mmCIF file of all heavy atoms in Angstrom:
data_model
loop_
_atom_site.group_PDB
_atom_site.id
_atom_site.type_symbol
_atom_site.label_atom_id
_atom_site.label_comp_id
_atom_site.label_asym_id
_atom_site.label_seq_id
_atom_site.Cartn_x
_atom_site.Cartn_y
_atom_site.Cartn_z
ATOM 1 N N ASP Y 72 83.837 12.134 -10.617
ATOM 2 C CA ASP Y 72 84.668 11.137 -9.902
ATOM 3 C C ASP Y 72 83.901 10.574 -8.711
ATOM 4 O O ASP Y 72 84.005 9.350 -8.418
ATOM 5 C CB ASP Y 72 85.957 11.810 -9.387
ATOM 6 C CG ASP Y 72 86.927 12.160 -10.537
ATOM 7 O OD1 ASP Y 72 86.722 11.606 -11.659
ATOM 8 O OD2 ASP Y 72 87.832 12.932 -10.330
ATOM 9 N N ARG Y 73 83.136 11.410 -8.019
ATOM 10 C CA ARG Y 73 82.347 10.911 -6.838
ATOM 11 C C ARG Y 73 81.281 9.897 -7.270
ATOM 12 O O ARG Y 73 81.055 8.934 -6.632
ATOM 13 C CB ARG Y 73 81.757 12.106 -6.100
ATOM 14 C CG ARG Y 73 82.764 12.930 -5.331
ATOM 15 C CD ARG Y 73 82.154 14.190 -4.737
ATOM 16 N NE ARG Y 73 83.133 15.023 -4.042
ATOM 17 C CZ ARG Y 73 82.905 16.207 -3.523
ATOM 18 N NH1 ARG Y 73 81.713 16.752 -3.650
ATOM 19 N NH2 ARG Y 73 83.877 16.878 -2.897
ATOM 20 N N ILE Y 74 80.633 10.213 -8.382
ATOM 21 C CA ILE Y 74 79.585 9.298 -8.863
ATOM 22 C C ILE Y 74 80.234 7.947 -9.276
ATOM 23 O O ILE Y 74 79.677 6.876 -8.989
ATOM 24 C CB ILE Y 74 78.826 9.935 -10.050
ATOM 25 C CG1 ILE Y 74 78.031 11.148 -9.546
ATOM 26 C CG2 ILE Y 74 77.917 8.926 -10.753
ATOM 27 C CD1 ILE Y 74 77.367 11.943 -10.670
ATOM 28 N N GLU Y 75 81.361 8.055 -9.936
ATOM 29 C CA GLU Y 75 82.059 6.819 -10.336
ATOM 30 C C GLU Y 75 82.422 5.995 -9.112
ATOM 31 O O GLU Y 75 82.292 4.754 -9.112
ATOM 32 C CB GLU Y 75 83.340 7.209 -11.126
ATOM 33 C CG GLU Y 75 84.073 6.023 -11.692
ATOM 34 C CD GLU Y 75 85.259 6.511 -12.562
ATOM 35 O OE1 GLU Y 75 85.046 7.420 -13.365
ATOM 36 O OE2 GLU Y 75 86.359 5.952 -12.384
ATOM 37 N N GLU Y 76 82.837 6.667 -8.031
ATOM 38 C CA GLU Y 76 83.215 5.936 -6.824
ATOM 39 C C GLU Y 76 81.998 5.291 -6.118
ATOM 40 O O GLU Y 76 82.041 4.160 -5.666
ATOM 41 C CB GLU Y 76 83.939 6.877 -5.842
ATOM 42 C CG GLU Y 76 84.303 6.278 -4.493
ATOM 43 C CD GLU Y 76 85.365 5.153 -4.635
ATOM 44 O OE1 GLU Y 76 85.841 4.886 -5.734
ATOM 45 O OE2 GLU Y 76 85.622 4.514 -3.582
ATOM 46 N N VAL Y 77 80.887 6.020 -6.127
ATOM 47 C CA VAL Y 77 79.635 5.491 -5.555
ATOM 48 C C VAL Y 77 79.256 4.223 -6.312
ATOM 49 O O VAL Y 77 78.883 3.182 -5.688
ATOM 50 C CB VAL Y 77 78.518 6.533 -5.666
ATOM 51 C CG1 VAL Y 77 77.115 5.865 -5.465
ATOM 52 C CG2 VAL Y 77 78.681 7.635 -4.625
ATOM 53 N N GLU Y 78 79.298 4.242 -7.612
ATOM 54 C CA GLU Y 78 78.895 3.080 -8.391
ATOM 55 C C GLU Y 78 79.867 1.915 -8.263
ATOM 56 O O GLU Y 78 79.507 0.741 -8.306
ATOM 57 C CB GLU Y 78 78.704 3.510 -9.869
ATOM 58 C CG GLU Y 78 77.526 4.481 -9.969
ATOM 59 C CD GLU Y 78 77.226 4.976 -11.391
ATOM 60 O OE1 GLU Y 78 77.958 4.552 -12.324
ATOM 61 O OE2 GLU Y 78 76.325 5.777 -11.574
ATOM 62 N N ARG Y 79 81.158 2.270 -8.035
ATOM 63 C CA ARG Y 79 82.144 1.180 -7.755
ATOM 64 C C ARG Y 79 81.831 0.496 -6.472
ATOM 65 O O ARG Y 79 81.882 -0.718 -6.363
ATOM 66 C CB ARG Y 79 83.547 1.793 -7.736
ATOM 67 C CG ARG Y 79 84.672 0.749 -7.639
ATOM 68 C CD ARG Y 79 85.966 1.343 -7.224
ATOM 69 N NE ARG Y 79 85.988 1.868 -5.876
ATOM 70 C CZ ARG Y 79 85.997 1.094 -4.771
ATOM 71 N NH1 ARG Y 79 86.020 -0.226 -4.864
ATOM 72 N NH2 ARG Y 79 85.990 1.647 -3.595
ATOM 73 N N ILE Y 80 81.472 1.272 -5.453
ATOM 74 C CA ILE Y 80 81.140 0.725 -4.141
ATOM 75 C C ILE Y 80 79.838 -0.136 -4.232
ATOM 76 O O ILE Y 80 79.799 -1.202 -3.615
ATOM 77 C CB ILE Y 80 80.989 1.830 -3.082
ATOM 78 C CG1 ILE Y 80 82.354 2.482 -2.845
ATOM 79 C CG2 ILE Y 80 80.423 1.307 -1.796
ATOM 80 C CD1 ILE Y 80 82.328 3.756 -2.032
ATOM 81 N N LEU Y 81 78.852 0.338 -4.964
ATOM 82 C CA LEU Y 81 77.655 -0.476 -5.148
ATOM 83 C C LEU Y 81 77.969 -1.825 -5.751
ATOM 84 O O LEU Y 81 77.501 -2.866 -5.243
ATOM 85 C CB LEU Y 81 76.685 0.293 -6.059
ATOM 86 C CG LEU Y 81 75.930 1.521 -5.487
ATOM 87 C CD1 LEU Y 81 75.192 2.257 -6.571
ATOM 88 C CD2 LEU Y 81 74.957 1.079 -4.383
ATOM 89 N N GLU Y 82 78.817 -1.821 -6.750
ATOM 90 C CA GLU Y 82 79.221 -3.070 -7.371
ATOM 91 C C GLU Y 82 80.008 -3.955 -6.429
ATOM 92 O O GLU Y 82 79.793 -5.176 -6.366
ATOM 93 C CB GLU Y 82 80.065 -2.759 -8.622
ATOM 94 C CG GLU Y 82 80.443 -4.021 -9.418
ATOM 95 C CD GLU Y 82 81.197 -3.662 -10.676
ATOM 96 O OE1 GLU Y 82 81.498 -2.491 -10.938
ATOM 97 O OE2 GLU Y 82 81.550 -4.637 -11.421
ATOM 98 N N GLU Y 83 80.885 -3.348 -5.622
ATOM 99 C CA GLU Y 83 81.681 -4.104 -4.661
ATOM 100 C C GLU Y 83 80.820 -4.821 -3.635
ATOM 101 O O GLU Y 83 81.129 -5.936 -3.203
ATOM 102 C CB GLU Y 83 82.647 -3.157 -3.944
ATOM 103 C CG GLU Y 83 83.550 -3.849 -2.896
ATOM 104 C CD GLU Y 83 84.464 -2.835 -2.191
ATOM 105 O OE1 GLU Y 83 84.913 -1.902 -2.834
ATOM 106 O OE2 GLU Y 83 84.674 -3.039 -0.967
ATOM 107 N N HIS Y 84 79.678 -4.188 -3.305
ATOM 108 C CA HIS Y 84 78.776 -4.799 -2.332
ATOM 109 C C HIS Y 84 77.701 -5.679 -2.957
ATOM 110 O O HIS Y 84 76.748 -6.088 -2.302
ATOM 111 C CB HIS Y 84 78.119 -3.698 -1.466
ATOM 112 C CG HIS Y 84 79.049 -3.115 -0.468
ATOM 113 N ND1 HIS Y 84 79.147 -3.516 0.856
ATOM 114 C CD2 HIS Y 84 80.016 -2.150 -0.613
ATOM 115 C CE1 HIS Y 84 80.059 -2.797 1.491
ATOM 116 N NE2 HIS Y 84 80.614 -1.958 0.619
ATOM 117 N N GLY Y 85 77.811 -5.927 -4.231
ATOM 118 C CA GLY Y 85 76.849 -6.790 -4.906
ATOM 119 C C GLY Y 85 75.541 -6.181 -5.324
ATOM 120 O O GLY Y 85 74.617 -6.866 -5.674
ATOM 121 N N ALA Y 86 75.444 -4.852 -5.240
ATOM 122 C CA ALA Y 86 74.203 -4.194 -5.643
ATOM 123 C C ALA Y 86 74.140 -4.071 -7.166
ATOM 124 O O ALA Y 86 75.145 -3.877 -7.828
ATOM 125 C CB ALA Y 86 74.134 -2.783 -5.034
ATOM 126 N N LYS Y 87 72.933 -4.213 -7.695
ATOM 127 C CA LYS Y 87 72.695 -4.062 -9.121
ATOM 128 C C LYS Y 87 71.900 -2.775 -9.393
ATOM 129 O O LYS Y 87 70.843 -2.548 -8.731
ATOM 130 C CB LYS Y 87 71.886 -5.222 -9.658
ATOM 131 C CG LYS Y 87 72.532 -6.602 -9.398
ATOM 132 C CD LYS Y 87 73.797 -6.802 -10.209
ATOM 133 C CE LYS Y 87 74.349 -8.221 -9.940
ATOM 134 N NZ LYS Y 87 75.716 -8.382 -10.552
ATOM 135 N N ILE Y 88 72.402 -1.942 -10.270
ATOM 136 C CA ILE Y 88 71.701 -0.668 -10.583
ATOM 137 C C ILE Y 88 70.651 -1.018 -11.670
ATOM 138 O O ILE Y 88 71.010 -1.383 -12.787
ATOM 139 C CB ILE Y 88 72.669 0.400 -11.074
ATOM 140 C CG1 ILE Y 88 73.669 0.699 -9.988
ATOM 141 C CG2 ILE Y 88 71.904 1.650 -11.502
ATOM 142 C CD1 ILE Y 88 74.809 1.667 -10.441
ATOM 143 N N LYS Y 89 69.374 -0.791 -11.335
ATOM 144 C CA LYS Y 89 68.298 -1.014 -12.313
ATOM 145 C C LYS Y 89 67.966 0.244 -13.095
ATOM 146 O O LYS Y 89 67.522 0.151 -14.256
ATOM 147 C CB LYS Y 89 67.045 -1.552 -11.603
ATOM 148 C CG LYS Y 89 67.299 -2.886 -10.887
ATOM 149 C CD LYS Y 89 66.005 -3.581 -10.504
ATOM 150 C CE LYS Y 89 65.292 -4.085 -11.746
ATOM 151 N NZ LYS Y 89 64.098 -4.853 -11.393
ATOM 152 N N SER Y 90 68.109 1.400 -12.434
ATOM 153 C CA SER Y 90 67.910 2.647 -13.156
ATOM 154 C C SER Y 90 68.647 3.770 -12.424
ATOM 155 O O SER Y 90 68.926 3.646 -11.260
ATOM 156 C CB SER Y 90 66.427 3.000 -13.316
ATOM 157 O OG SER Y 90 65.866 3.280 -12.071
ATOM 158 N N LYS Y 91 68.932 4.839 -13.186
ATOM 159 C CA LYS Y 91 69.662 5.962 -12.614
ATOM 160 C C LYS Y 91 69.178 7.238 -13.254
ATOM 161 O O LYS Y 91 69.025 7.331 -14.461
ATOM 162 C CB LYS Y 91 71.175 5.760 -12.887
ATOM 163 C CG LYS Y 91 72.027 6.960 -12.549
ATOM 164 C CD LYS Y 91 73.473 6.685 -13.015
ATOM 165 C CE LYS Y 91 74.342 7.892 -12.922
ATOM 166 N NZ LYS Y 91 75.709 7.619 -13.483
ATOM 167 N N GLU Y 92 68.903 8.248 -12.421
ATOM 168 C CA GLU Y 92 68.496 9.570 -12.904
ATOM 169 C C GLU Y 92 69.288 10.618 -12.157
ATOM 170 O O GLU Y 92 69.705 10.383 -11.027
ATOM 171 C CB GLU Y 92 66.984 9.804 -12.652
ATOM 172 C CG GLU Y 92 66.057 8.784 -13.294
ATOM 173 C CD GLU Y 92 64.641 8.965 -12.825
ATOM 174 O OE1 GLU Y 92 64.215 10.090 -12.586
ATOM 175 O OE2 GLU Y 92 63.984 7.931 -12.556
ATOM 176 N N ALA Y 93 69.450 11.760 -12.809
ATOM 177 C CA ALA Y 93 70.156 12.897 -12.153
ATOM 178 C C ALA Y 93 69.315 14.148 -12.410
ATOM 179 O O ALA Y 93 69.536 14.883 -13.378
ATOM 180 C CB ALA Y 93 71.565 13.051 -12.760
ATOM 181 N N PRO Y 94 68.341 14.398 -11.519
ATOM 182 C CA PRO Y 94 67.527 15.617 -11.687
ATOM 183 C C PRO Y 94 68.373 16.866 -11.692
ATOM 184 O O PRO Y 94 68.038 17.848 -12.371
ATOM 185 C CB PRO Y 94 66.611 15.594 -10.456
ATOM 186 C CG PRO Y 94 66.631 14.184 -9.967
ATOM 187 C CD PRO Y 94 67.954 13.606 -10.366
ATOM 188 N N ARG Y 95 69.438 16.899 -10.880
ATOM 189 C CA ARG Y 95 70.415 17.959 -10.954
ATOM 190 C C ARG Y 95 71.780 17.284 -10.919
ATOM 191 O O ARG Y 95 71.960 16.162 -10.494
ATOM 192 C CB ARG Y 95 70.246 18.916 -9.762
ATOM 193 C CG ARG Y 95 69.028 19.805 -9.966
ATOM 194 C CD ARG Y 95 68.909 20.870 -8.925
ATOM 195 N NE ARG Y 95 67.970 21.917 -9.380
ATOM 196 C CZ ARG Y 95 67.424 22.790 -8.585
ATOM 197 N NH1 ARG Y 95 67.700 22.818 -7.294
ATOM 198 N NH2 ARG Y 95 66.594 23.721 -9.062
ATOM 199 N N GLU Y 96 72.773 18.009 -11.397
ATOM 200 C CA GLU Y 96 74.114 17.390 -11.588
ATOM 201 C C GLU Y 96 74.607 16.785 -10.276
ATOM 202 O O GLU Y 96 75.279 15.746 -10.303
ATOM 203 C CB GLU Y 96 75.108 18.442 -12.112
ATOM 204 C CG GLU Y 96 76.427 17.876 -12.458
ATOM 205 C CD GLU Y 96 77.354 18.919 -13.047
ATOM 206 O OE1 GLU Y 96 76.894 20.035 -13.290
ATOM 207 O OE2 GLU Y 96 78.543 18.606 -13.281
ATOM 208 N N TYR Y 97 74.268 17.388 -9.131
ATOM 209 C CA TYR Y 97 74.783 16.939 -7.840
ATOM 210 C C TYR Y 97 73.804 16.067 -7.074
ATOM 211 O O TYR Y 97 74.064 15.669 -5.965
ATOM 212 C CB TYR Y 97 75.133 18.139 -6.977
ATOM 213 C CG TYR Y 97 73.993 19.160 -6.869
ATOM 214 C CD1 TYR Y 97 72.971 18.990 -5.980
ATOM 215 C CD2 TYR Y 97 73.981 20.265 -7.666
ATOM 216 C CE1 TYR Y 97 71.935 19.889 -5.870
ATOM 217 C CE2 TYR Y 97 72.908 21.212 -7.608
ATOM 218 C CZ TYR Y 97 71.903 20.994 -6.696
ATOM 219 O OH TYR Y 97 70.870 21.906 -6.612
ATOM 220 N N SER Y 98 72.649 15.765 -7.664
ATOM 221 C CA SER Y 98 71.619 15.016 -6.967
ATOM 222 C C SER Y 98 71.144 13.833 -7.828
ATOM 223 O O SER Y 98 70.755 14.021 -8.990
ATOM 224 C CB SER Y 98 70.411 15.925 -6.684
ATOM 225 O OG SER Y 98 69.409 15.226 -6.018
ATOM 226 N N LEU Y 99 71.182 12.605 -7.284
ATOM 227 C CA LEU Y 99 70.918 11.452 -8.080
ATOM 228 C C LEU Y 99 69.856 10.562 -7.429
ATOM 229 O O LEU Y 99 69.677 10.551 -6.226
ATOM 230 C CB LEU Y 99 72.226 10.592 -8.249
ATOM 231 C CG LEU Y 99 73.250 11.315 -9.068
ATOM 232 C CD1 LEU Y 99 74.385 11.770 -8.127
ATOM 233 C CD2 LEU Y 99 73.818 10.430 -10.161
ATOM 234 N N ARG Y 100 69.199 9.767 -8.313
ATOM 235 C CA ARG Y 100 68.203 8.803 -7.848
ATOM 236 C C ARG Y 100 68.544 7.454 -8.487
ATOM 237 O O ARG Y 100 68.661 7.349 -9.726
ATOM 238 C CB ARG Y 100 66.785 9.226 -8.290
ATOM 239 C CG ARG Y 100 65.697 8.197 -7.931
ATOM 240 C CD ARG Y 100 64.363 8.657 -8.536
ATOM 241 N NE ARG Y 100 63.258 7.823 -8.124
ATOM 242 C CZ ARG Y 100 62.838 6.760 -8.740
ATOM 243 N NH1 ARG Y 100 63.451 6.342 -9.841
ATOM 244 N NH2 ARG Y 100 61.780 6.072 -8.286
#
Side-chain angles (χ1 to χ4, degrees):
D72 290 344
R73 288 174 181 173
I74 293 172
E75 186 176 314
E76 178 64 5
V77 164
E78 294 180 0
R79 186 196 67 74
I80 292 170
L81 286 170
E82 183 177 3
E83 179 182 324
H84 286 264
K87 305 291 184 189
I88 299 173
K89 299 195 70 175
S90 67
K91 171 186 171 184
E92 300 170 39
R95 286 187 164 164
E96 186 176 353
Y97 52 83
S98 182
L99 295 106
R100 176 187 188 269

